[in-house]
Amino acid sequence: MIHKINHIGIAVSSLKDQIPFYRDALNLTFLGEETVSDQKVRIAMFQCGEVKIELLEPTGENSPIASFLEKKGPGIHHIAYETDSVEKELETLKAAGVRLIDSQPRNGAHGTKIAFVHPSSSGKILTEICEPGGEKE
Ligand code: ZN
């Protein structure tokens, strides 16, 4: 069951340039940086109440974030809904006829399990389903 928005993913050209706005101007709690080599991105996470802000910087030209930046420029990249079980959520979505990018969960940042819905099924908004890992923040 989906019970809240876990985070909003924002594509940026440079973490170094954008981190000060979220950390020092908005005064959000900076949770740290992490490279997710699977997805060729470097991530900076901030906490804002129950919701996290995930800044995504490409680590190479063949990164999906690099092609997003090229096509659309910096901006909101995806919305991530939190569930107790990505596997179960994927079954529900499949049964509802929703097209998926990931039919199986894959590894996200901070030990999470994630899967993406295809934008053609979600009104062009890239939608992530995520299940928190055991890791404490
Ligand atoms: Zn995400």
Side-chain angles (χ1 to χ4, degrees), residues 7-9 45 54 56 78 80 114 116 128:
H7 65 269
I8 298 170
M45 279 286 204
E54 179 184 76
L56 304 146
H78 65 272
I114 65 171
F116 282 98
E128 175 184 334

Side-chain angles (χ1 to χ4, degrees), residues 29-47:
T29 306
F30 181 49
L31 299 175
E33 286 183 45
E34 184 182 348
T35 300
V36 182
S37 25
D38 267 17
Q39 292 169 65
K40 300 187 176 66
V41 290
R42 183 150 179 88
I43 285 171
M45 279 286 204
F46 300 87
Q47 194 75 46

Side-chain angles (χ1 to χ4, degrees), residues 2 4 8 15 24 44-45 59 64 86-87 96 113 126 135:
I2 288 170
K4 68 176 185 183
I8 298 170
L15 287 182
D24 307 328
M45 279 286 204
T59 57
V86 174
E87 273 100 347
K113 282 203 241 173
L126 184 59
E135 237 177 273

Side-chain angles (χ1 to χ4, degrees), residues 98-113:
V98 170
R99 195 173 156 201
L100 301 170
I101 291 177
D102 302 303
S103 52
Q104 298 294 326
R106 54 177 153 127
N107 296 326
H110 303 287
T112 54
K113 282 203 241 173

Side-chain angles (χ1 to χ4, degrees), residues 18-28 46:
Q18 286 307 308
I19 283 171
F21 170 69
Y22 293 92
R23 187 192 53 202
D24 307 328
L26 294 183
N27 282 305
L28 303 184
F46 300 87

